[in-house]
Amino acid sequence: MSNPSWKKIIIKPNALQHTAYADWYRYGTSDPAGVPMVVYVGGAIPKNTYSERQATRPDIIAVEFENARELNPMACVDLLIIPCPLSIMERRSVWRSEFREHFTRELLPAIENREPLRMSVVGYSLGSYFAMCLLAERATACGLATVGGAGMPEALLESDPPDLHKKRIISFCNENDHLFEITEKFRNTLLSRGIHLETTRRAGGHPFRNYAENGSVRDAFAFALQCLQKRGTWIA
């Protein structure tokens, strides 16, 4: 693993109604013209796991990002890793608004990149809902990759951005992932708006390790970097 700068962001109290955290990595030297950013939103996890990870670095995700950077090198880029909010099932009606507040007014001000030059988003499992929200609501967001995604059709219907056709979207969903039908629904919902969804199916189930082992996590990040560059390669 390379040696990026890293910061654990802990916010208490916050818009999500619980102590929240995120991890910010900067690769390369700051550019006065602005720094592009890849945002990763993880899947739902138990409360005890969420608490344990507050004291650790998510290097298992950062390594996948670094593998992707070997395909699409960038002189300077940020990686912001956000865990899925807790207690989301009990607060379904405010998912989008609370996460928007958390991202815009709490996370971005806590790092040295309050206004990313360009932004792309990767979501795993239920994190794909929040990733889709960011793609829809952030003017500088240019691409989305979902991995074993959930909640994307609902996020799309709730936001329905008029400029979505200008942005790129890809979905990775394994052959034995029980959430495959959600990706199909997402594809059909986008198709009804005249938008093509790139999809990739590989061997494996829903666990994150399956997507890491078959290269999907790396390739999702490579796609995200490609969107920031408007060029490059997302699959080796």
Side-chain angles (χ1 to χ4, degrees):
M1 184 171 175
S2 63
N3 190 33
S5 61
W6 166 77
K7 178 181 179 180
K8 174 74 77 173
I9 305 164
I10 299 178
I11 300 173
K12 177 183 178 180
N14 67 89
L16 299 179
Q17 312 302 315
H18 62 77
T19 298
Y21 60 89
D23 292 84
W24 172 53
Y25 293 79
R26 169 154 294 177
Y27 295 84
T29 305
S30 300
D31 187 335
V35 179
M37 175 185 289
V38 174
V39 179
Y40 171 88
V41 188
I45 52 178
K47 185 175 181 179
N48 63 327
T49 303
Y50 188 97
S51 298
E52 290 169 0
R53 292 180 182 176
Q54 181 176 320
T56 63
R57 289 174 54 140
D59 286 341
I60 188 174
I61 298 169
V63 165
E64 297 293 338
F65 181 75
E66 293 183 9
N67 291 337
R69 285 184 72 233
E70 293 181 3
L71 297 176
N72 289 316
M74 295 186 70
C76 186
V77 62
D78 282 353
L79 171 64
L80 183 62
I81 299 175
I82 308 172
C84 190
L86 287 174
S87 306
I88 51 177
M89 295 308 176
E90 294 83 356
R91 306 177 61 78
R92 176 65 183 86
S93 64
V94 292
W95 281 9
R96 184 178 163 206
S97 60
E98 287 189 351
F99 187 79
R100 181 198 304 120
E101 183 84 0
H102 177 55
F103 183 81
T104 304
R105 299 196 176 185
E106 296 174 343
L107 292 181
L108 289 185
I111 63 177
E112 298 172 19
N113 196 0
R114 297 190 180 196
E115 293 295 335
L117 181 66
R118 284 170 67 80
M119 188 175 82
S120 56
V121 198
V122 176
Y124 166 65
S125 195
L126 191 54
S128 298
Y129 169 87
F130 300 100
M132 180 64 224
C133 289
L134 289 176
L135 180 74
E137 297 178 359
R138 303 291 300 186
T140 58
C142 56
L144 164 69
T146 70
V147 180
M152 307 89 72
E154 291 78 9
L156 176 58
L157 292 172
E158 290 168 10
S159 53
D160 203 13
D163 62 344
L164 195 62
H165 64 283
K166 299 178 182 178
K167 307 183 180 189
R168 293 187 62 195
I169 308 174
I170 191 170
S171 289
F172 296 84
C173 194
N174 285 341
E175 294 173 351
N176 295 320
D177 191 328
H178 63 284
L179 299 182
F180 178 74
E181 290 184 359
I182 296 177
T183 296
E184 284 295 291
K185 181 179 179 181
F186 186 43
R187 183 182 68 82
N188 292 333
T189 304
L190 287 170
L191 189 61
S192 70
R193 290 161 171 74
I195 300 170
H196 171 69
L197 174 66
E198 299 178 55
T199 58
T200 297
R201 295 191 69 184
R202 294 173 179 165
H206 184 69
F208 178 88
R209 67 178 181 277
N210 288 182
Y211 283 102
E213 289 169 355
N214 67 22
S216 294
V217 179
R218 177 205 62 190
D219 290 344
F221 278 130
F223 175 86
L225 290 167
Q226 181 195 46
C227 290
L228 294 179
Q229 299 168 308
K230 297 184 178 179
R231 59 179 175 81
T233 303
W234 63 267
I235 292 182

